[in-house]
Amino acid sequence: MEVSAPTPSRARVLRAFQSRDFRLLWTGQAISLLGDAAFVVALGWRTFTLTGSARSLGIVLTLQGVGLLSTVLVGGALADRYDRRTLMLVSDVARFGVIGVLAAVDATGHLSVGSLAAIAFVEGLATGFFTPALGGLIPLVVEEPGLGSANALIGMARQGSFLIGPSVASLLYGFAGSTVVFGFNAVSYLVSFAFVYATRPRAAERGAAEGTLREIGAGFRYVAGIPWLWLTISLFAFVLMFQWAPIQVLTPKLVREHFHLGVAAYGLVFSLIGAGMIVGSVLVGQLNPRRRRGLISYLIWIVNSILVIVFALSPWYPLAVAAAFLRGICIGFGITIWETMLMQLVPQHMLSRVVSLDWFGSLGLTPFGLLRSARASRSASSRAGCSRARSARSTEGGR
């Protein structure tokens, strides 16, 4: 692997690109993430056109998430025991096959919501193996001083895909149908495979093999013994349940009923969050903070929570979207600092397990938050309906 040379301060955010292996890894992930973002849009629209029900899409997405959570801990243990690059290659091949089957079934006209749900679940299973391996591989292709830049650049690729992917999906879907979008995502996994295969990472530090369950248990014990790890992961389990989930579920209602606007205004909210996240990631890569990062992270997340309140209570849509953009900066900044701290402070032989526990712990309560928010939305709609009915009856009585 190439050794990174000193970089001028004005180009700190690009420092990781000095590594040939990181350039290869980043390029493959940028294309794969673009395919994933396009896939989410096509999956949602295809599911809705099959059933005409938003509930069906909820089931499909829930099963995809359950699949990921089912394997991410095992994936973390395996990535700390075996070659992380090989695990990523196997996962990419598996996801290519699964999504390729989806495209083929869709092309024949035999696609059903049941087959969609099953394929989404299996795709989630494969992704659960890929994610912790990727988190553990980045420090093996970038020198330690460049990890902030590497995480910023990966974050930019991730958020950039959410800005570009929906447009790609809309164009492909409109001109050629869902099969082509599914096929595009399948091919993106082959591209990822090719670029990951071309990398030559350093050998990772390995711990003694103890068996998968014992290694997962060792990961739990390690996290439980480091206060900044277990406290942050536990905190974000509740933040995502009580903050992120309600925003996902209730923002359409807020835009339509509070601001009296349509789908374009709804899409702009999330586009600005994505743009803000790119800015936040770039700031971390450029500033490369090394001191008081924990304190900075918590302050950033406090500001983010204040901006959530501004977004929800704002009487003006422009103020709400400004809050959304600033929230994106906070989120991108906070996530990039967090991922960099993990890679710099967690021992190599534990890193993938800690990444997997971060995903599992942070997302574990999210389904409950989604269900809770959906119930709250229905209850509010029912109360509003009753209020309108009472108002109508009062009006009729007055006549």
Side-chain angles (χ1 to χ4, degrees):
M1 193 193 78
E2 294 179 359
V3 177
S4 298
T7 313
S9 60
R10 66 178 180 275
R12 280 179 181 171
V13 71
L14 303 177
R15 179 173 188 166
F17 277 152
Q18 292 187 322
S19 163
R20 166 194 174 273
D21 291 312
F22 179 77
R23 292 196 302 269
L24 291 169
L25 181 66
W26 185 90
T27 303
Q29 291 315 295
I31 295 170
S32 178
L33 287 166
L34 182 63
D36 287 341
F39 173 72
V40 169
V41 174
L43 179 67
W45 196 253
R46 188 69 180 100
T47 303
F48 186 77
T49 57
L50 276 174
T51 66
S53 168
R55 180 175 177 270
S56 298
L57 175 59
I59 292 172
V60 170
L61 293 178
T62 298
L63 285 173
Q64 186 182 36
V66 169
L68 186 149
L69 291 174
S70 298
T71 55
V72 71
L73 294 179
V74 175
L78 294 179
D80 280 338
R81 188 194 313 167
Y82 300 113
D83 182 61
R84 291 163 182 164
R85 172 175 166 272
T86 301
L87 200 61
M88 292 168 65
L89 293 174
V90 172
S91 177
D92 272 337
V93 169
R95 292 188 291 179
F96 164 73
V98 170
I99 304 303
V101 168
L102 172 60
V105 173
D106 191 34
T108 63
H110 293 95
L111 189 66
S112 66
V113 71
S115 57
L116 263 178
I119 289 171
F121 176 74
V122 176
E123 191 272 343
L125 292 175
T127 301
F129 290 101
F130 185 91
T131 301
L134 173 63
L137 188 73
I138 291 174
L140 303 180
V141 298
V142 178
E143 298 296 336
E144 192 272 342
L147 286 176
S149 164
N151 284 300
L153 291 167
I154 291 290
M156 291 167 62
R158 185 183 300 123
Q159 301 313 320
S161 73
F162 286 118
L163 290 176
I164 301 170
S167 298
V168 171
S170 299
L171 288 173
L172 292 178
Y173 203 119
F175 282 110
S178 56
T179 299
V180 173
V181 185
F182 295 150
F184 171 70
N185 190 35
V187 171
S188 76
Y189 290 129
L190 277 188
V191 174
S192 172
F193 176 95
F195 278 98
V196 172
Y197 183 80
T199 63
R200 294 295 180 266
R202 299 188 300 273
E205 175 190 347
R206 304 287 180 197
E210 304 176 80
T212 301
L213 291 180
R214 289 186 177 181
E215 287 167 3
I216 293 173
F220 273 103
R221 289 191 296 274
Y222 177 81
V223 169
I226 309 293
W228 67 271
L229 281 175
W230 69 258
L231 183 61
T232 304
I233 292 172
S234 301
L235 176 64
F236 273 88
F238 290 97
V239 168
L240 292 177
M241 180 171 69
F242 290 111
Q243 188 181 102
W244 179 83
I247 288 173
Q248 295 299 111
V249 173
L250 300 176
T251 295
K253 186 179 182 70
L254 180 74
V255 170
R256 187 180 63 183
E257 298 185 5
H258 181 61
F259 296 120
H260 307 291
L261 297 172
V263 66
Y266 169 66
L268 181 61
V269 169
F270 287 98
S271 293
L272 287 175
I273 291 174
M277 291 178 73
I278 292 174
V279 173
S281 296
V282 170
L283 284 173
V284 174
Q286 186 64 26
L287 298 174
N288 193 27
R290 306 286 294 185
R291 300 177 60 190
R292 302 185 183 277
R293 289 179 295 183
L295 177 61
I296 293 171
S297 292
Y298 277 89
L299 290 175
I300 286 289
W301 291 116
I302 289 171
V303 172
N304 172 69
S305 298
I306 294 170
L307 290 168
V308 169
I309 297 172
V310 173
F311 174 77
L313 300 182
S314 170
W316 307 291
Y317 177 74
L319 177 59
V321 295
F325 176 71
L326 293 174
R327 280 193 63 235
I329 294 176
C330 292
I331 294 168
F333 197 98
I335 289 175
T336 304
I337 280 187
W338 170 252
E339 292 179 343
T340 302
M341 288 175 66
L342 289 183
M343 293 177 187
Q344 290 178 337
L345 301 179
V346 175
Q348 266 294 319
H349 70 279
M350 296 294 300
L351 180 56
S352 288
R353 274 173 284 182
V354 172
V355 170
S356 70
L357 284 165
D358 178 32
W359 276 75
F360 185 84
S362 298
L363 296 176
L365 296 178
T366 300
F368 299 103
L370 293 170
L371 292 173
R372 177 177 173 273
S373 300
R375 285 197 299 269
S377 178
R378 286 196 298 269
S379 298
S381 297
S382 298
R383 288 194 298 271
C386 291
S387 177
R388 287 192 295 267
R390 286 195 298 270
S391 177
R393 285 198 298 269
S394 297
T395 302
E396 289 297 325
R399 290 176 184 169

